[in-house]
């Protein structure tokens, strides 16, 4: 039996992994960071091949890990987790400092950070497992509680992008609109690209199939990245 949802019982910290290339920076959300050797201290992290951050780490052989706190806003996570560095500067309007390896260390909503040098890379189909030797690490704010993936998923209601190492596709049912009913437009989330299809609704969050986007509650948020309705735009036919 292969019950993939049982893997949700495995939980690691929600982090921003950052790197550099040719004077530019990029970062993305990861939740598969773990220490593997005590002396010299080393860790491993899984990064999707499609990520711009992956390209930067492969090029520079250095990265930083900024550990997020439980009170991190979902839209902040969405910026690093659901947007591409090819489209936006993720570090714009984000407080950070440059570490000793020349890579940004995020300071907003962070409990601690780690700097590392890549000592080995292992290709695992859609991802690369980067093994890094820790060159520096420090607690930034010990009053904050580090956010683990289960807290992000079950308490904050956060979602996982398809490129994440822990992504598990959920089955969705689609109901046809009744004959003669007004055709309702689908809307796209500008933050993460999620498509709200009124024919499907959002049953996991209490929105029945056939609910027009305009009829969604004012406090409804994107199921994938957590931004509000004002971050959606209609998809033109």
């Amino acid at each position: 039996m292969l019950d993939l949802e049982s893997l949700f019982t495995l939980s690691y910290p929600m982090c921003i992994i950052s790197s550099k290339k040719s004077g530019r920076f990029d970062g993305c959300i990861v939740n598969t960071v773990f220490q593997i050797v005590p002396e010299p201290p080393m860790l491993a992290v899984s990064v999707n091949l499609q990520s711009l951050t992956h390209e930067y780490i492969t090029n520079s052989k250095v990265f930083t890990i900024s550990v997020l706190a439980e009170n991190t806003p979902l839209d902040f996570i969405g910026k690093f987790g659901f947007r591409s560095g090819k489209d936006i500067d993720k570090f714009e309007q984000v407080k950070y400092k440059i570490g000793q390896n020349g890579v940004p260390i995020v300071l907003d909503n962070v409990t601690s950070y780690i700097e590392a040098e890549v000592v080995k890379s292992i290709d695992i189909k859609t991802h690369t497992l980067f093994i890094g030797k820790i060159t520096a690490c420090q607690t930034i704010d010990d009053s904050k509680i580090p956010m683990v993936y289960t807290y992000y998923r079950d308490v904050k209601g956060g979602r996982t992008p398809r490129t994440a190492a822990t992504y598990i596709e959920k089955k969705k049912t689609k109901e046809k609109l009744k004959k003669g009913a007004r055709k309702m437009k689908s809307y796209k989330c500008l933050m993460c690209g999620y498509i709200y299809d009124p024919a499907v609704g959002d049953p996991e969050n209490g929105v029945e199939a056939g609910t027009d986007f305009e009829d969604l509650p004012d406090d409804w948020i994107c199921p994938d990245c957590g931004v509000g309705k004002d971050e959606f735009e209609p998809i033109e036919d």
Side-chain angles (χ1 to χ4, degrees):
M1 182 177 181
L2 193 62
D3 178 12
L4 294 179
E5 290 204 3
S6 66
L7 297 178
F8 288 140
T9 59
L10 299 174
S11 191
Y12 299 97
M14 293 285 292
C15 307
I16 295 174
I17 183 169
S18 307
S19 194
K20 64 178 180 178
K21 180 183 178 183
S22 303
R24 299 186 63 186
F25 303 135
D26 193 54
C28 65
I29 298 289
V30 292
N31 62 347
T32 50
V33 179
F34 51 98
Q35 185 178 350
I36 55 174
V37 178
E39 187 58 40
M42 290 196 283
L43 56 75
V45 57
S46 176
V47 184
N48 190 278
L49 298 176
Q50 299 177 23
S51 169
L52 184 64
T53 308
H54 180 282
E55 177 185 328
Y56 284 18
I57 296 172
T58 302
N59 178 268
S60 67
K61 305 298 183 184
V62 291
F63 61 87
T64 63
I65 295 290
S66 303
V67 182
L68 295 173
E70 285 187 346
N71 61 356
T72 303
L74 284 175
D75 58 354
F76 185 85
I77 296 173
K79 182 176 186 178
F80 282 92
F82 293 90
R83 301 293 299 274
S84 172
K86 299 174 184 177
D87 302 323
I88 66 168
D89 177 3
K90 295 185 181 182
F91 290 90
E92 185 178 5
Q93 298 182 340
V94 172
K95 187 177 180 181
Y96 67 89
K97 68 177 183 179
I98 302 299
Q100 64 183 28
N101 61 7
V103 176
I105 297 167
V106 178
L107 301 177
D108 289 334
N109 307 302
V110 165
T111 65
S112 60
Y113 72 86
I114 302 167
E115 298 186 68
E117 299 174 348
V118 176
V119 297
K120 188 176 182 63
S121 301
I122 303 174
D123 181 25
I124 314 175
K125 294 186 178 180
T126 58
H127 290 67
T128 295
L129 186 68
F130 291 108
I131 298 176
K133 177 182 177 182
I134 297 174
T135 57
C137 53
Q138 185 177 3
T139 298
I140 295 176
D141 188 343
D142 58 10
S143 68
K144 294 180 179 178
I145 301 173
M147 176 167 48
V148 296
Y149 177 63
T150 50
Y151 184 91
Y152 166 72
R153 177 177 177 268
D154 299 335
V155 178
K156 296 181 78 71
R159 300 304 176 94
T160 306
R162 292 180 178 273
T163 54
T166 55
Y167 176 76
I168 297 176
E169 185 173 6
K170 294 185 177 181
K171 295 181 179 179
K172 294 183 178 180
T173 58
K174 185 170 183 177
E175 296 182 9
K176 295 182 178 179
L177 293 174
K178 293 181 180 179
K179 187 176 181 180
R182 176 177 61 88
K183 184 177 180 181
M184 296 177 286
K185 286 187 176 181
S186 294
Y187 278 68
K188 180 179 181 179
C189 177
L190 298 175
M191 181 66 75
C192 69
Y194 168 83
I195 304 296
Y196 175 78
D197 183 349
V200 176
D202 182 16
E204 293 180 16
N205 294 296
V207 178
E208 297 181 354
T211 302
D212 195 342
F213 183 84
E214 299 297 334
D215 294 330
L216 290 172
D218 292 338
D219 59 354
W220 181 84
I221 59 175
C222 175
D224 277 354
C225 69
V227 299
K229 292 174 62 178
D230 56 345
E231 293 291 341
F232 280 73
E233 67 177 8
I235 298 176
E236 300 298 333
D237 296 330

